[in-house]
Amino acid sequence: MAYTEIPQSIQHFMEQMTQKCHEANQPRWAENFNAGFANTLLTTVRRYDDGTTFLLTGDIPAMWLRDSTAQFRPYLVIAKEDDDIRSLITGLVKRQFKYINMDPYANAFNETPNNKGHQTDHTEMTPWIWERKYEIDSLCYPVQLAYLLYKQTGETSQFNEEFHEGVKKILSVWETEQHHDQSPYCFERDTTRLEDTLTHDGKGTPVDYTGMTWSGFRPSDDACQYGYLVPSNMFAVVVLGYIVELYSTLFTDMTVLEQANKLKKEIDDGIKEHAIVENNDGENIFAYEVDGKGHYSIMDDSNVPSLMAAPYLGYLDKNDPLYLSTRKTLLSKENPYFYEGEFAKGIGSSHTPENYVWPIALAIEGLTTDDKQEKERILNLLVDCDGGTHLMHEGFDVNNPNHFTREWFSWANMMFCELVMDYFDITIEAHYN
């Protein structure tokens, strides 16, 4: 079952946001907010009789574990008062963990076992899997959604048997990938685009032990240059904090609790020991990726988790000095994916053409500052650069916003919506107790 009209509670919230935007003399924000907020429900949602929810990422007929969480996150503010929206989000968590239990190394899944997607990749595919690029954040996001749903609404039915099995699989994978040389995972694709495959017979570039956990791919679905993706490890630390809290209060499983506590400390210690490097000015900043062998990259990517998003994810405070020095570097030419042109400046990605910045990255830039004027500047920029569609895109040309990738990208739409909500102090707290 799909939505054919906007539920009353969603419509009421959109009307409230419209009023706030008009009172702030920003009617264009309201137009784009309403388009994006409605678009996700009307175009991406499939509800099933088993109580689960499938969510298309947009113009690709598959569900990403990462994207689906971000697509629904802004609806959490409505879920406390609306049983149907709460059930919708609960159903998404249940389907996410159903997929994780099928294969915790896969990042995107089909709606049915239809063999669609990248079935010719050299890895362990099944008819359910659209793509099997292992990304740490694919396992972080469903735990985040389950936790935030509980904290926002008190809902606990998402914590079913599949959730607990999934948590155990997540912990097992993260422990395994602390020692990637002993991992069963490998991935190769027959392609001329090197970002879509892993080197060294599908194992990726060599790494040494750091305490962090390895990732084959970035949240852009592009291959990591070095195996320890720092922002994703930051996200893992936060999510392990969620697991520790849940298994200290709601559930009794000392094995899971001890395993999560141990992993959390090891990964966090690994970040502090191996991921702090110097920029060109000699300031300490976080590296984007490291390999434990002394190699590292100074950069950021548009997709979340990113270094820019560290406070948004709940890893540290947005006024942390180390974060601020990192942020300054990321918003400079020292970051090879920082672009500035006639109409915009911001962070892009290796996933899209040069000089294309991403609305997701711009939204995160706004969500990680306390400066209202900066939030306003970014919101106006996003509206000005929507290509006349009233929706967000994957990336757009800083010198011609009418040139963009992906006309329909639900994750980007909802990141814009979340920034509008944040501007009016409607926030979803990510920090754990």
Side-chain angles (χ1 to χ4, degrees):
M1 181 186 77
Y3 280 97
T4 56
E5 59 183 31
I6 298 297
Q8 187 173 357
S9 62
I10 298 288
Q11 187 64 48
H12 179 62
F13 184 72
M14 288 163 58
E15 290 168 358
Q16 289 180 315
M17 293 302 298
T18 297
Q19 182 177 348
K20 289 178 181 293
C21 291
H22 280 267
E23 288 173 352
N25 198 31
Q26 297 289 355
R28 297 185 309 152
W29 296 1
E31 191 169 13
N32 284 45
F33 179 90
N34 291 334
F37 211 71
N39 181 273
T40 292
L41 270 187
L42 294 178
T43 63
T44 69
V45 175
R46 308 282 188 273
R47 303 185 79 170
Y48 283 87
D49 292 339
D50 65 358
T52 67
T53 306
F54 180 88
L55 211 58
L56 291 166
T57 186
D59 55 0
I60 301 173
M63 179 173 127
W64 265 252
L65 295 174
R66 168 189 57 250
D67 296 35
S68 58
T69 296
Q71 286 168 259
F72 263 16
R73 180 176 152 125
Y75 295 142
L76 285 167
V77 300
I78 301 167
K80 186 173 184 178
E81 309 300 332
D82 188 301
D83 291 345
D84 188 58
I85 297 299
R86 185 164 67 253
S87 173
L88 183 72
I89 300 172
T90 303
L92 175 60
V93 174
K94 289 178 178 178
R95 182 164 278 256
Q96 287 175 330
F97 277 90
K98 175 182 177 180
Y99 286 152
I100 286 171
N101 284 313
M102 288 180 184
D103 187 349
Y105 281 101
N107 59 321
F109 293 84
N110 295 315
E111 190 169 0
T112 61
N114 54 31
N115 274 304
K116 291 184 178 179
H118 300 275
Q119 294 298 320
T120 59
D121 287 345
H122 304 291
T123 189
E124 295 180 16
M125 297 291 287
T126 75
W128 279 101
I129 296 173
W130 173 273
E131 190 171 60
R132 195 173 185 258
K133 289 179 173 178
Y134 173 60
E135 302 161 2
I136 295 170
D137 67 281
S138 295
L139 300 179
C140 292
Y141 271 106
V143 178
Q144 182 200 60
L145 186 61
Y147 175 85
L148 293 179
L149 177 62
Y150 163 62
K151 299 298 283 189
Q152 194 79 15
T153 71
E155 181 66 47
T156 58
S157 64
Q158 69 272 31
F159 301 127
N160 58 10
E161 185 176 339
E162 285 204 294
F163 173 84
H164 294 295
E165 273 308 303
V167 166
K168 291 174 184 176
K169 280 187 166 65
I170 291 168
L171 297 178
S172 177
V173 166
W174 286 351
E175 282 187 339
T176 297
E177 297 304 335
Q178 288 179 300
H179 306 273
H180 178 61
D181 59 328
Q182 301 171 28
S183 168
Y185 176 78
C186 61
F187 181 97
E188 290 181 280
R189 177 173 293 174
D190 298 326
T191 178
T192 57
R193 187 175 186 272
L194 298 181
E195 293 90 342
D196 277 330
T197 191
L198 295 181
T199 61
H200 295 77
D201 297 320
K203 300 296 284 186
T205 54
V207 295
D208 284 346
Y209 176 82
T210 64
M212 286 183 279
T213 188
W214 177 91
S215 190
F217 293 84
R218 301 168 178 172
S220 60
D221 301 331
D222 287 346
C224 292
Q225 180 183 11
Y226 305 117
Y228 297 120
L229 180 55
V230 176
S232 289
N233 274 273
M234 290 173 171
F235 198 10
V237 170
V238 174
V239 163
L240 287 163
Y242 295 161
I243 292 171
V244 167
E245 180 184 336
L246 291 173
Y247 282 83
S248 301
T249 55
L250 290 186
F251 320 122
T252 305
D253 189 324
M254 289 305 297
T255 301
V256 168
L257 182 59
E258 290 171 2
Q259 193 177 7
N261 258 321
K262 180 173 179 287
L263 259 174
K264 179 174 178 291
K265 184 180 187 309
E266 289 173 349
I267 294 173
D268 199 28
D269 287 349
I271 293 171
K272 291 178 171 62
E273 183 176 349
H274 295 275
I276 298 173
V277 300
E278 287 189 358
N279 65 9
N280 286 340
D281 294 329
E283 300 169 319
N284 282 346
I285 64 168
F286 287 112
Y288 184 70
E289 293 171 352
V290 301
D291 63 3
K293 293 175 174 290
H295 302 109
Y296 60 87
S297 59
I298 292 180
M299 58 161 284
D300 207 15
D301 194 82
S302 297
N303 298 266
V304 182
S306 60
L307 291 176
M308 181 69 71
Y312 171 80
L313 297 170
Y315 180 72
L316 43 62
D317 187 84
K318 64 184 69 170
N319 295 310
D320 183 291
L322 185 56
Y323 172 72
L324 291 175
S325 61
T326 304
R327 180 187 180 94
K328 183 180 72 172
T329 305
L330 301 179
L331 296 174
S332 76
K333 290 299 183 182
E334 192 167 353
N335 174 10
Y337 298 107
F338 177 79
Y339 302 120
E340 185 169 3
E342 182 181 351
F343 292 93
K345 63 179 179 179
I347 297 173
S349 174
S350 65
H351 202 66
T352 46
E354 187 176 357
N355 288 321
Y356 275 55
V357 299
W358 283 42
I360 288 174
L362 288 165
I364 286 296
E365 195 179 333
L367 286 162
T368 50
T369 179
D370 291 324
D371 187 338
K372 283 273 190 183
Q373 288 186 324
E374 183 65 1
K375 294 177 192 290
E376 182 177 353
R377 179 192 70 81
I378 291 170
L379 285 167
N380 286 331
L381 172 63
L382 288 167
V383 171
D384 288 341
C385 295
D386 69 3
T389 65
H390 303 304
L391 295 171
M392 298 296 108
H393 308 295
E394 180 185 47
F396 65 87
D397 188 340
V398 293
N399 293 307
N400 187 346
N402 291 318
H403 295 164
F404 53 79
T405 58
R406 295 191 71 176
E407 186 169 352
W408 180 26
F409 195 24
S410 179
W411 181 13
N413 287 332
M414 296 307 273
M415 291 302 301
F416 171 83
C417 292
E418 193 166 339
L419 180 56
V420 177
M421 291 161 60
D422 176 80
Y423 182 86
F424 295 112
D425 301 315
I426 303 169
T427 58
I428 301 151
E429 184 57 60
H431 291 270
Y432 51 88
N433 290 342

